Amino acid sequence: MTGTRSWRRWSAAVAVAALALTATACGSDDKDTKDVGASADQIREIAKQAYIYGYPMVDNYRIQYAYFQDKQNPQYMAPWNTLHSVAKVYTPADTTIQTPNSDTPYSFLGADLRAEPLVLTVPTIESNRYYSLQFIDSYLYNFDYVGSRTTGNNGGKYLLAGPSWKGDKPAGIDKVVRAETDFAFVAYRTQLFGPDDLDNVKAIQAGYKMEPLSTFLAQPVPAAAPTIDFAVPQSSEDQKKSPQFFETLNFVLRYAPVLDTEKELRAKFASIGIGTDKNLDIDSMSSEKKEAFQAAITDAWKEYDPIQAKVNDGQIPPSDLFGSRQTLGTNYLYRMAGAINGIYGNDKAEAMYPSFSSDAAGAALDGANKYVYRFLPGQLPPVNAFWSLTMYKMPQSLLSANPINRYLINSPMLPSLKQDPDGGYSIYVQHESPGADRESNWLPAPEGPFRLTERLYWPQEPALNGTWHAQAPQKVE
């Protein structure tokens, strides 16, 4: 795994020193950590590691803060522990999440699991309709699934528990889903067959229920968890360059209990004030140490850039960037890349994301040109659920506004697409209309750079083993 050596450079002696520095940083009764005992060089190296490790956590927190905490945010959805359904697909107006799915209406749950677990009820759903509940922890790991692929469409009740809950599965619960962090994010996807199917999706969403365990068991409500003074996150741009990033990371790590496998790493972070119970105050530090935190961000991006280059040229498939702690392991650069290229991406078994930022000749995709994206005869994406091809304007990684409000071509649209004489399908990818006779197969592009992303939901074995693979778009004159 790229970057592994840099994580192993720290000897046992350095680990001991880090633990000693942790005591120095955390031994005061002050509310804020205004300085740390580490040298500027130590800060720079450890903060670089902390940035790579923590970028997905901070970006995840930025989104959840907007959705569940900041009531003034135009994209606020609902308070914590309140299931919220969105009876529409994403459009260019939805800008909080990069590379959004525009295939499936979502339901969202921001789960605060500190006081007690939550019981999630799923209704029976017709067998030909795909749905899934993706469970994501604060690290950005996918730690479990409920849905068509994993538990079937017959409905059920599932207990979502945090790290402090040590109980057994109660009667009437089909499965216990355990998170390693106090806060978790559950993304529900419900397949939409077309615009006239929206009322059916709304009815399914109305059947998704959430209740505290005490309510489910008809027991007294436990004591409320302590009130949190939530840190205000940076914007998506500022977190890429501002040393205050580390202050937000320090806050987020308080609700991610230290795992046995990461004790040494978290001790290093704590030695420079990251992941302690005190507020980190970088501006109050000496200019030398503040500059070290700033330089660490530059160093982190330099270490990350080769990974992004490999993603862009196809050496690293996007589907390799998402998964569980078991599948991603300590490859924190991949976890960072997952957040940047499509936060909340699914495990490969649940969905695959072949993506193209270049054409078949290797030139960057740009709306100044015209392209054909071709599905060869008999070579539509092999899926158990559905597939789509989505347009994203770059570098924002957001849906692109266009005059026909079409952001993707997907398998439910096949009956409206024109087939080629050989039985394949040609998708016309360009900024201007290809003409009335081809407009059914037109995927509008922005004026500038863009990326195409396929989604294969519940992919079949030919996609998983590489027998089938997506074709790069061809530039045409």
Side-chain angles (χ1 to χ4, degrees), residues 92 391-393 398-402 406-407 444-447:
M391 168 69 65
Y392 295 103
K393 64 180 179 181
L398 296 174
L399 298 170
S400 177
N402 60 80
R406 181 182 294 162
Y407 317 116
E447 291 183 319

Side-chain angles (χ1 to χ4, degrees), residues 55 59 62-63 90-92 94-102 236-237 240 304 308 311-312 337-343 355-357 390-401 446 449-453 455:
Y55 184 92
D59 200 40
R62 173 185 63 83
I63 293 167
Y90 271 42
T91 72
D94 298 290
T95 58
T96 301
I97 292 180
Q98 56 268 38
T99 327
N101 159 359
S102 190
S236 58
E237 287 305 311
K240 295 177 180 178
Y304 171 80
Q308 187 61 54
V311 173
N312 291 344
I340 292 167
N341 286 273
I343 196 166
S355 296
F356 296 95
S357 55
T390 306
M391 168 69 65
Y392 295 103
K393 64 180 179 181
M394 298 301 288
Q396 300 92 338
S397 291
L398 296 174
L399 298 170
S400 177
F450 65 87
R451 180 171 72 182
L452 291 171
T453 296
R455 283 179 168 82

Side-chain angles (χ1 to χ4, degrees), residues 62-63 65-67 69-77 96:
R62 173 185 63 83
I63 293 167
Y65 184 88
Y67 280 179
Q69 186 61 34
D70 183 7
K71 294 182 179 180
Q72 305 306 311
N73 193 299
Q75 298 189 38
Y76 174 80
M77 292 189 178
T96 301

Side-chain angles (χ1 to χ4, degrees), residues 318-401:
S319 297
D320 288 354
L321 307 177
F322 314 111
S324 65
R325 178 180 292 279
Q326 289 69 36
T327 55
L328 287 174
T330 58
N331 198 333
Y332 304 123
L333 283 166
Y334 271 33
R335 192 171 73 183
M336 181 178 176
I340 292 167
N341 286 273
I343 196 166
Y344 306 133
N346 282 284
D347 286 15
K348 186 183 298 186
E350 194 70 33
M352 295 181 66
Y353 308 97
S355 296
F356 296 95
S357 55
S358 302
D359 63 21
L365 297 175
D366 194 287
N369 305 313
K370 299 178 181 180
Y371 306 88
V372 171
Y373 192 94
R374 187 119 201 283
F375 294 112
L376 299 175
Q379 290 295 306
L380 289 173
V383 293
N384 292 304
F386 67 93
W387 57 263
S388 67
L389 176 67
T390 306
M391 168 69 65
Y392 295 103
K393 64 180 179 181
M394 298 301 288
Q396 300 92 338
S397 291
L398 296 174
L399 298 170
S400 177

Side-chain angles (χ1 to χ4, degrees), residues 116-128:
E116 62 174 318
L118 305 175
V119 176
L120 312 184
T121 299
V122 174
T124 300
I125 297 173
E126 63 265 46
S127 60
N128 66 327

Side-chain angles (χ1 to χ4, degrees), residues 236-281:
S236 58
E237 287 305 311
D238 283 347
Q239 69 189 20
K240 295 177 180 178
K241 57 189 178 184
S242 169
Q244 274 63 46
F245 167 96
F246 298 104
E247 298 176 358
T248 305
L249 177 59
N250 178 53
F251 170 82
V252 172
L253 286 175
R254 292 176 190 166
Y255 303 99
V258 179
L259 303 175
D260 288 342
T261 55
E262 291 188 343
K263 281 183 177 179
E264 182 179 321
L265 185 63
R266 292 283 292 271
K268 293 173 190 173
F269 297 164
S271 74
I272 60 170
I274 299 172
T276 75
D277 59 358
K278 299 181 184 298
N279 296 326
L280 184 63
D281 187 357

Side-chain angles (χ1 to χ4, degrees), residues 136-253:
I136 308 156
D137 63 22
S138 295
Y139 295 107
L140 211 64
Y141 291 124
N142 299 328
F143 63 92
D144 216 330
Y145 278 91
V146 165
S148 300
R149 177 182 67 88
T150 53
T151 57
N153 283 38
N154 292 329
K157 294 184 181 294
Y158 305 92
L159 185 73
L160 173 58
S164 62
W165 189 74
K166 307 302 180 185
D168 298 321
K169 181 167 74 72
I173 295 295
D174 294 282
K175 179 182 180 181
V176 176
V177 178
R178 296 182 182 271
E180 293 180 334
T181 54
D182 291 330
F183 289 86
F185 186 40
V186 188
Y188 296 60
R189 295 173 175 88
T190 308
Q191 184 176 3
L192 178 71
F193 294 124
D196 58 354
D197 184 44
L198 190 56
D199 285 343
N200 297 321
V201 170
K202 289 180 180 178
I204 293 169
Q205 290 179 326
Y208 295 137
K209 303 292 186 182
M210 189 285 302
E211 59 188 330
L213 178 60
S214 57
T215 301
F216 176 78
L217 297 176
Q219 293 179 350
V221 177
T227 301
I228 296 175
D229 182 12
F230 284 90
V232 178
Q234 294 81 44
S235 68
S236 58
E237 287 305 311
D238 283 347
Q239 69 189 20
K240 295 177 180 178
K241 57 189 178 184
S242 169
Q244 274 63 46
F245 167 96
F246 298 104
E247 298 176 358
T248 305
L249 177 59
N250 178 53
F251 170 82
V252 172
L253 286 175

